[in-house]
Amino acid sequence: MTLLIIIIVLALIFDYINGFHDAANAIATVVATKVLTPFQAVIWAAFFNFLAYWVFGFGVADTVAKTAHTMEINLTVILAGVIAAIIWNLFTWWQGIPSSSSHTLIGGFAGAAIAHAGFGVVSWYKEGKDGGLPSGVLIIIAFIVLAPLLGALVSYLISLWLLHSYKKRALPKLFTIGLMALTVWFVESQIKYYDKIEKPRFDSHFWSVALEQHNIKWFLIAFIILSVSTFCLLFSRLNHNQSEYWLKKMQLLSSAAFSLGHGGNDSQKVMGIIAAAVAVYVHTNTGTTVMPDWLNVILPDENGDGARMPEWIPLACYTAIAAGTLSGGWKIVKTMGSKITKVTSFEGVAAETAGALTLYFTEHLKIPVSTTHTITGSIIGVGLTKRISAVRWGVTVSLVWAWILTIPISAILAAIVYYALSVFI
């Protein structure tokens, strides 16, 4: 039990570090454009980090928990993975490198598991259910490339949309109206109505549907797209000063949306590690001791059903990451807010909106992606709308190398920590 408690505490410490390490992802552009002061920005981001507790489910947590087969590892494996992740996160933060906390954690977990039981213990690839997206560590690795590319593509398209909307032409307005209609139709098709909700939270049909966790995420997506669309319809009527004023107001919305995605995506990874640790502890102590209710964790079966997680785990994780965000992370703010490309309110709205939509999409697919990679790709995509040379490729290439090396370095470091811990535990 003592070892389990140590793992939970260290996992929450990692979550806290993740908060201030990745705070720059959500606040760099609003600070760079002076929409908010650094102090106001971290409070804003931390609030929406914690608000994600009521928005997102546990899909990403389930994926992380299944990085290695829990029946074939022990608590020392998870402890070594968390320690290695903390070490690498602190090192990259100190150097001002916006590496991925997510891939650090997954690399550490996988590396320690391999050191314990070989490569076969890691869930490398699993085919998707009913033609769905496959899962496994190889898919997570693939999204090291795909997440920033997706963020760049979405931000590039949003930037073009905004640029054309500023012109006094009918075609951009017709496109915007069509997009609004398409958004309403698509989101309506994704909503779970009262008869499809397994456990309605209220007697009222309206409140049960409105506050169903699955639905809230789609309502948010609709709100973001419709808000940007409304601005685009009015954009051509505004002069430069008015445009700048409303773009800065829009940045509050886009940064809030991204902070929500950051909290929902990254907190779940720590939830997955804690759930895996509890599952390993329960497995290794079955029949020898009575398990308290707070350890009543059940990982999903092969079909993704039957999962259960006590409320204290997500609540503790969302609290830790919000507290970490409040602590800032100013070294990485400088890199994200100015070194990649010059960021104005226009670029901030496009990049953060694209980053938020990408995070919501990948969370829906239960893929743990890096918020760092996503927002960096989004900022690059905005820079490309000006010209290719607007992106400082020297800085970008250095970041890409940090991304590529994060998983193997974390894995090697975790293996070393595991062998060292095995001498004493």
Side-chain angles (χ1 to χ4, degrees):
M1 179 65 78
T2 302
L3 190 56
L4 176 62
I5 297 297
I6 291 172
I7 290 172
I8 292 172
V9 171
L10 286 177
L12 292 175
I13 289 173
F14 173 84
D15 204 18
Y16 172 83
I17 294 170
N18 187 353
F20 73 72
H21 186 279
D22 289 1
N25 299 342
I27 68 175
T29 57
V30 287
V31 172
T33 56
K34 298 181 180 179
V35 173
L36 295 174
T37 66
F39 179 71
Q40 291 170 332
V42 293
I43 292 177
W44 183 257
F47 172 76
F48 286 98
N49 277 173
F50 185 75
L51 194 64
Y53 169 71
W54 287 277
V55 176
F56 296 98
F58 305 137
V60 171
D62 293 341
T63 301
V64 173
K66 291 181 175 180
T67 298
H69 304 300
T70 53
M71 299 301 101
E72 301 177 35
I73 61 175
N74 56 30
L75 290 179
T76 307
V77 168
I78 300 177
L79 178 61
V82 173
I83 291 174
I86 290 174
I87 292 171
W88 182 245
N89 240 18
L90 287 175
F91 173 77
T92 53
W93 166 76
W94 182 255
Q95 295 297 317
I97 302 169
S99 67
S100 168
S101 298
S102 312
H103 294 131
T104 300
L105 190 63
I106 291 166
F109 189 9
I114 292 170
H116 173 72
F119 284 89
V121 74
V122 175
S123 177
W124 295 104
Y125 181 85
K126 179 182 176 183
E127 291 187 2
K129 181 182 176 183
D130 298 329
L133 196 73
S135 60
V137 173
L138 291 178
I139 301 301
I140 296 171
I141 292 173
F143 269 83
I144 292 177
V145 177
L146 293 177
L149 284 179
L150 186 59
L153 176 62
V154 175
S155 67
Y156 181 78
L157 293 176
I158 290 175
S159 298
L160 291 181
W161 179 27
L162 287 169
L163 286 170
H164 284 287
S165 296
Y166 188 65
K167 300 175 182 177
K168 297 182 183 295
R169 294 177 183 173
L171 190 59
K173 289 181 171 54
L174 290 174
F175 171 82
T176 299
I177 292 170
L179 182 62
M180 294 173 78
L182 184 64
T183 299
V184 171
W185 170 79
F186 179 77
V187 170
E188 192 277 334
S189 69
Q190 300 298 316
I191 296 300
K192 280 186 179 179
Y193 288 99
Y194 190 82
D195 58 333
K196 296 291 182 65
I197 299 174
E198 293 182 6
K199 296 179 180 179
R201 298 170 62 186
F202 305 95
D203 293 331
S204 166
H205 285 213
F206 174 81
W207 289 114
S208 294
V209 172
L211 298 179
E212 171 65 20
Q213 201 166 45
H214 170 86
N215 294 343
I216 292 174
K217 180 170 56 183
W218 290 111
F219 289 147
L220 281 170
I221 290 173
F223 178 73
I224 293 167
I225 296 175
L226 293 177
S227 296
V228 177
S229 298
T230 302
F231 175 77
C232 286
L233 290 175
L234 302 173
F235 201 9
S236 62
R237 301 181 183 180
L238 306 176
N239 60 39
H240 177 75
N241 290 335
Q242 290 172 327
S243 299
E244 190 66 21
Y245 173 82
W246 284 109
L247 281 168
K248 288 186 176 183
K249 295 298 181 185
M250 290 289 293
Q251 261 200 282
L252 294 175
L253 170 64
S254 60
S255 64
F258 188 83
S259 295
L260 202 65
H262 171 224
N265 199 284
D266 283 21
S267 290
Q268 285 192 60
K269 293 153 192 171
V270 178
M271 287 159 53
I273 290 295
I274 294 176
V278 174
V280 169
Y281 177 81
V282 170
H283 172 70
T284 54
N285 290 275
T286 300
T288 61
T289 182
V290 177
M291 297 299 171
D293 289 340
W294 66 275
L295 285 181
N296 190 11
V297 172
I298 302 174
L299 295 182
D301 57 25
E302 293 298 315
N303 296 319
D305 301 321
R308 185 187 183 282
M309 188 179 296
E311 281 297 307
W312 70 267
I313 295 179
L315 188 59
C317 290
Y318 282 111
T319 301
I321 198 168
T325 298
L326 278 173
S327 301
W330 312 120
K331 287 177 177 287
I332 298 174
V333 167
K334 185 177 180 181
T335 299
M336 301 296 290
S338 60
K339 287 189 177 180
I340 295 175
T341 188
K342 184 180 178 182
V343 178
T344 65
S345 295
F346 176 90
E347 282 85 9
V349 169
E352 289 163 348
T353 301
L357 292 175
T358 302
L359 289 179
Y360 295 170
F361 172 72
T362 53
E363 195 279 337
H364 178 68
L365 297 176
K366 302 180 181 180
I367 301 170
V369 300
S370 167
T371 55
T372 306
H373 297 183
T374 302
I375 192 63
T376 303
S378 298
I379 293 173
I380 290 171
V382 172
L384 290 174
T385 60
K386 293 180 281 190
R387 59 187 185 281
I388 293 178
S389 61
V391 178
R392 297 184 177 96
W393 294 106
V395 175
T396 304
V397 170
S398 299
L399 297 182
V400 171
W401 273 112
W403 300 349
I404 294 171
L405 294 174
T406 289
I407 286 183
I409 289 178
S410 300
I412 293 169
L413 186 58
I416 294 170
V417 173
Y418 171 78
Y419 289 130
L421 289 175
S422 297
V423 175
F424 303 101
I425 300 177

